[in-house]
Every structure is written in structure tokens, then in C-alpha cells.
Amino acid sequence: MEHTEFGRTLRRLRDHVAPEAVGVVAGSRRRATGLRREELAALAGISADYLTRLEQGRATSPSAQVVEALARSLRVADAERELLFRLAGHAVPGADVVPSRIPPSVQRLLDRLADTPVAVLDAAGTILVANAPYDALMGPVGALRGHERNTAWRHLVGPGSRAVHTDADQRAFEASVVAALRMTVARYPLDRALGQLVRDLRAASPRFVALWESGDAAPTRESGRRKVVEHPAVGRITLDCDTLQIATDDLTVLAYTAEPGTEDADRLALAIVLGTQSLVG
């Protein structure tokens, strides 16, 4: 890797991105014109210390996943994305890798849903990006590292989510998640990161092993379903969770809404306000 040039390019791109352009809430006492290191690190799902070492040329081997996350978080054009991959010593990901790039058309859609909790997941069920209302509702995605962003890992190995499930619903949900992951592996058998995720899940979760080896049928695709979220500040909120499949890019968009004029709508609005205030603070 051209260490100095990669870090210099990364720093240049970061300095020229307005916080508002990538969904970062800028406080009134802000001095930096571009993104702060900790802000870009949170967006990309890496530590601020690691980003510092990358920019200074002290970290020498960023993975393709890290480079993609940085390019996506900075919303760079295709040419600059390719440059970052080349400087990091990687080929630009091809059709045999789970897509993790968010195209401009999808990004415009997300920007227009700025007041709605929205997250984008790749075909493996890994959260690529989430907006501030989603962080306020479900917890900050930027605090999640590596496998923690993956749905199967979070529910079968990690602490789960704020969504409330009955035991039966939880079992059905886990089976659906594993079945979806199996289908993704079938579509991208050469993706090494995906293969590593499956191996790590097998090593960490007997439940995953049982579901994986059961060969259960493919998951049921639901365009929308009700979900109860246990929010730490406002209590339980009943929401509609709608999914939009971006077939050409193999992405899933999740959006959470409440029926207008209901107590759930009021609780959701309060959760978003409280979360946004904590981000600004």
C-alpha cells in the first residue's frame, strides 16, 4: 500500500466533506469545516484511533471492507472510490463479492427520509449505514464494530436489539435470518469475508450450527410488519417496519414509522428528539 498517499488522500477527502452532507449534526461551537476524525470513524464503523493511524500511515493494511466503509461514509464519486481501493492495494470489488456500495439514487432516497429511522443492510444482513433517527431509536450503529453490525451475529451471539420478541417469534426470526444468510452464501460463494462470518458464527453459536445444518426453507419475504421497540428513555413503541429491496444492488432498506396522531407516534418523535440532542451534545 502507498501508505502516505492513502492517508493523505483520506485526510483530503475528510476535510472537504461538510457534516450536513453525510447526515452528521454539527454543533454551534464547531470549528472544523469538514468531518472530524471521530465522526468519520463512527460513520465507517471503525475506531477513531485506527482512522488516525490510517491517515498518518502507521496502519498499513486496511481491509477492502474498511476501504469500502470509508468511501461510502465520505460519499465519494466512483473515481475517488476506485483511487482509495488502488492506494490501499485492493482491486475494486467485483460481482463475486457481497455489494456494500450505496449508489447515489439510494442515497438520495435516504436523504429524503431524514426524519424517519432508516438503515441500509447488505445481502449478509450487515448494517452499512443508518441515519440519526435510527440511532436514536435502536441505539448508535457507529458504536458497533465488525460482526456486531451483522444481524445474525447480533441476535445469535451478541446482545440482540431493542426489538421485543416472544419466544416463538424469536425462534422464527433466527431461522429466517440464517436461511437468508445461507441464500447469500449461495449467491456469493467466493466472498472471503462472508465465508469468515459463517465460520465465526459456527464457532460461537450452537444455535446457528443447528439452524445452518437443518437446511430449512428460504425465509419469508415480508414487505412490512409490526414491531415493538423497547426504548430506554420513552418505553415501548409499536411501529411499522417496512422493507424495500434494492434488487439491482442487493441491498435492503429498513424504515420505521408510526401511525400519525397516536401515542406511538409521539413516543417515536420524543425518542428521535432525545437521541438527536445527545448526538449534538
Side-chain angles (χ1 to χ4, degrees), residues 117-119 121 125 127 134 137-138 151 154-155 160-166 169-170 173-174 176-177 222-231 235-243 252-259 262 264-265 267-268:
V118 176
L121 286 71
I127 297 177
Y134 183 94
L137 176 67
M138 302 299 287
T151 303
R154 197 163 55 253
H155 286 272
S161 73
R162 291 179 179 175
V164 179
H165 295 287
T166 65
D169 286 343
Q170 181 67 23
F173 175 74
E174 291 170 354
S176 179
V177 166
E222 296 179 292
S223 60
R225 60 191 176 95
R226 303 284 276 178
K227 183 175 288 189
V228 177
V229 174
E230 184 73 54
H231 190 275
R236 292 196 172 190
I237 317 172
T238 300
L239 301 168
D240 288 311
C241 177
D242 291 284
T243 63
T252 298
V253 179
L254 297 181
Y256 291 86
T257 58
E259 185 177 349
T262 63
D264 290 305
R267 292 191 188 100
L268 176 60

Side-chain angles (χ1 to χ4, degrees), residues 19-38:
E20 297 80 4
V22 294
V24 172
V25 180
S28 59
R29 292 175 292 181
R30 185 184 189 89
R31 294 182 180 179
T33 56
L35 281 178
R36 295 170 175 150
R37 279 198 181 112
E38 60 269 22

Side-chain angles (χ1 to χ4, degrees), residues 9-21:
T9 300
L10 190 58
R11 173 64 185 269
R12 173 180 60 81
L13 293 170
R14 179 170 66 79
D15 284 345
H16 286 81
V17 174
E20 297 80 4

Side-chain angles (χ1 to χ4, degrees), residues 41-46 72 121 125-130 141-154:
L43 289 170
I46 62 176
R72 180 174 60 247
L121 286 71
T126 298
I127 297 177
L128 299 176
V129 65
V141 170
L144 304 177
R145 298 285 181 264
H147 290 341
E148 293 174 349
R149 287 185 172 227
N150 180 263
T151 303
W153 184 273
R154 197 163 55 253

Side-chain angles (χ1 to χ4, degrees), residues 189-241:
L190 301 180
D191 189 314
R192 289 183 292 180
L194 180 61
Q196 187 62 54
L197 170 64
V198 172
R199 288 190 293 273
D200 291 345
L201 280 165
R202 291 181 67 94
S205 171
R207 170 71 170 155
F208 175 82
V209 173
L211 289 170
W212 186 263
E213 295 182 350
S214 70
D216 284 346
T220 301
R221 294 291 184 182
E222 296 179 292
S223 60
R225 60 191 176 95
R226 303 284 276 178
K227 183 175 288 189
V228 177
V229 174
E230 184 73 54
H231 190 275
V234 304
R236 292 196 172 190
I237 317 172
T238 300
L239 301 168
D240 288 311
C241 177

